[in-house]
Amino acid sequence: MQKQYESLKLIKVETLGDFVYKVSLNRPSKFNALNMEIWKEIGDCFRWIDEDPDCRVVILQGEGKHFCSGLDLGGVSFLNGDNDDKDSARKGREILKTIKFMQKQFTYIDECSKPVLLAMHGYCLGAAIDIATACDVRFATKDAVLSVKEVDIGMAADVGTLNRLPKVVGNHSWIKDICLTARHFSAGEALQFGLLSRVFDTRDEMINEVQKMAKLIASKSPVGVQGTKNVLNYARDHTVENSLNYVVSVKGWVLLYKRFDRIPWHCHPEIV
């Protein structure tokens, strides 16, 4: 594993072998609440993984009793008065800059070329849903408690949930139900409305099954897997016609490369 991961303090990166990495939110004493330090580390981690030839699939989880209890209200500068000495215009610019930074760190998950499998347990509140919607496949334990919590602290969710959740679920009535009320909902309800792929009885069972899935995906052609994720993400954000044209263009370049390449590209371990 590359040395840069050793610099992370609140994110733990482990290799499970067979080109699978496990990334863990590692602030269990705070129920993995997100301050600006761990927020930045999430972005750094997934930027590095995107370029890491030893990784083909990522499992994302949380250490301790809960996946993530949401935003650490004392760990975000514009929420705890750090810029109160500035005039309103400068405060506004700083807040805008900070929010864009926070958005981008989760976008690195969405844009990572490697599939990201999310395994949630316990509290999955607020920013946890922002993370979840940026992942590719989502799982949870049956005792998981989920919530789009921002309305309860006088905010509209602004780092991904309100933008990605409609693309993930598609049921706008249910989305407005959970976002406007900020109520807790169960993993079973999340499964019913399509936010989750599967729900497991225990965390151990979930991790075991997610690892099996990760290793199955990692055994496939990395060109095929990463190309599939890329085209699906493009199709999500564009019309059918545009995405059809896009996949033709992408596949044309791949076939052109294959024609002049004597290496068996579909199984070469160095192609990521």
Side-chain angles (χ1 to χ4, degrees):
M1 183 174 293
Q2 299 181 23
K3 289 185 178 180
Q4 61 216 35
Y5 299 113
E6 297 176 2
S7 67
L8 301 173
K9 298 178 180 178
L10 300 177
I11 297 290
K12 182 166 63 175
V13 182
E14 305 167 85
T15 177
L16 303 180
D18 300 317
F19 298 101
V20 176
Y21 280 10
K22 181 169 70 174
V23 174
S24 303
L25 306 182
N26 193 27
R27 204 184 180 208
S29 63
K30 297 291 186 180
F31 297 159
N32 295 319
L34 303 183
N35 59 14
M36 294 305 293
E37 183 178 3
I38 192 171
W39 219 295
K40 180 180 184 300
E41 287 192 6
I42 289 171
D44 289 342
C45 179
F46 279 93
R47 282 193 297 110
W48 296 337
I49 284 175
D50 183 55
E51 299 291 337
D52 190 338
D54 295 322
C55 178
R56 294 183 182 178
V57 182
V58 184
I59 298 170
L60 178 59
Q61 63 163 36
E63 292 292 317
K65 294 183 178 180
H66 304 284
F67 168 64
C68 176
S69 59
L71 180 69
D72 183 344
L73 296 179
V76 178
S77 59
F78 68 82
L79 293 178
N80 57 30
D82 283 2
N83 59 2
D84 283 349
D85 58 330
K86 298 180 180 179
D87 61 70
S88 58
R90 286 177 173 80
K91 286 181 184 179
R93 289 185 64 184
E94 287 297 316
I95 291 172
L96 178 62
K97 182 179 178 181
T98 300
I99 291 174
K100 285 186 174 182
F101 168 82
M102 295 165 77
Q103 290 174 341
K104 186 61 179 176
Q105 306 319 298
F106 292 168
T107 296
Y108 286 129
I109 302 174
D110 189 20
E111 292 178 345
C112 181
S113 58
K114 323 297 171 65
V116 182
L117 313 184
L118 178 65
M120 298 188 289
H121 72 290
Y123 291 157
C124 312
L125 310 178
I129 307 299
D130 295 303
I131 292 173
T133 57
C135 294
D136 297 297
V137 187
R138 292 162 293 275
F139 305 94
T141 56
K142 67 179 182 181
D143 61 350
V145 177
L146 298 85
S147 176
V148 182
K149 199 65 177 168
E150 283 79 359
V151 163
D152 274 350
I153 57 172
M155 297 172 58
D158 53 10
V159 291
T161 291
L162 301 184
N163 316 94
R164 293 190 174 99
L165 191 59
K167 303 290 183 74
V168 171
V169 175
N171 186 320
H172 283 252
S173 178
W174 183 72
I175 291 168
K176 290 180 180 179
D177 169 358
I178 61 171
C179 293
L180 295 173
T181 64
R183 67 176 176 84
H184 288 171
F185 56 97
S186 68
E189 184 177 349
L191 176 67
Q192 176 187 353
F193 286 97
L195 179 57
L196 300 174
S197 292
R198 288 181 65 185
V199 173
F200 297 92
D201 289 336
T202 67
R203 187 184 179 196
D204 287 344
E205 180 190 6
M206 174 177 66
I207 294 300
N208 184 55
E209 291 300 314
V210 173
Q211 288 182 7
K212 288 180 182 178
M213 180 180 179
K215 291 188 177 185
L216 174 62
I217 295 172
S219 73
K220 311 293 185 182
S221 159
V223 173
V225 168
Q226 293 169 33
T228 296
K229 173 174 177 175
N230 178 267
V231 172
L232 285 172
N233 281 3
Y234 189 92
R236 175 195 65 194
D237 300 328
H238 297 80
T239 66
V240 172
E241 181 180 3
N242 285 343
S243 62
L244 285 170
N245 290 332
Y246 177 76
V247 73
V248 168
S249 299
V250 170
K251 184 158 287 189
W253 281 108
V254 170
L255 292 175
L256 182 64
Y257 174 81
K258 180 184 177 185
R259 179 180 176 184
F260 293 103
D261 184 18
R262 297 180 181 179
I263 300 173
W265 64 279
H266 64 284
C267 61
H268 198 296
E270 295 302 320
I271 297 178
V272 297

